[in-house]
Amino acid sequence: YYQSLEPRDRSFARLLVATVERRLGQIDKVLKCCIEKYPPKKGKHSHIIQATLRIGVAQLLFLQTPPFAANKETVQVLRMYPNNPPVP
């Protein structure tokens, strides 16, 4: 899937991953302050929920992504999985 993306989209995907890796401690601290039960309980989709939330926070805090766009994309990713995991 990654190889089929346009170069601009691949660059943005790499930037998202690099930003989350670089700022992981800060991102998790923000999420712990904002979400009552963070990290999510271990379950079928817990790793997807956690990764998606981290990417959303990275977009909002470090990449100047407009809030409506970061929120929309985060929710869309979470809704892609079977049984629609709960959106925190």
Side-chain angles (χ1 to χ4, degrees):
Y1 178 77
Y2 176 77
Q3 294 301 322
S4 68
L5 294 173
E6 295 292 322
R8 180 178 174 173
D9 294 332
R10 282 198 309 262
S11 294
F12 187 62
R14 281 193 305 271
L15 177 63
L16 284 173
V17 171
T19 302
V20 169
E21 287 181 346
R22 190 175 316 118
R23 305 284 191 152
L24 187 60
Q26 293 169 295
I27 291 169
D28 280 348
K29 197 172 199 176
V30 168
L31 287 169
K32 284 178 187 176
C33 289
C34 297
I35 299 175
E36 194 173 305
K37 294 180 182 178
Y38 186 83
K41 291 181 182 178
K42 297 293 181 202
K44 187 174 180 180
H45 299 293
S46 62
H47 64 287
I48 295 167
I49 294 169
Q50 188 172 30
T52 305
L53 291 172
R54 285 173 170 167
I55 289 172
V57 170
Q59 289 182 74
L60 289 170
L61 297 182
F62 304 112
L63 299 178
Q64 290 76 44
T65 302
F68 72 89
N71 289 331
K72 178 184 171 203
E73 294 300 320
T74 300
V75 170
Q76 281 183 336
V77 168
L78 290 173
R79 288 190 174 150
M80 286 174 29
Y81 291 88
N83 303 323
N84 295 332
V87 178

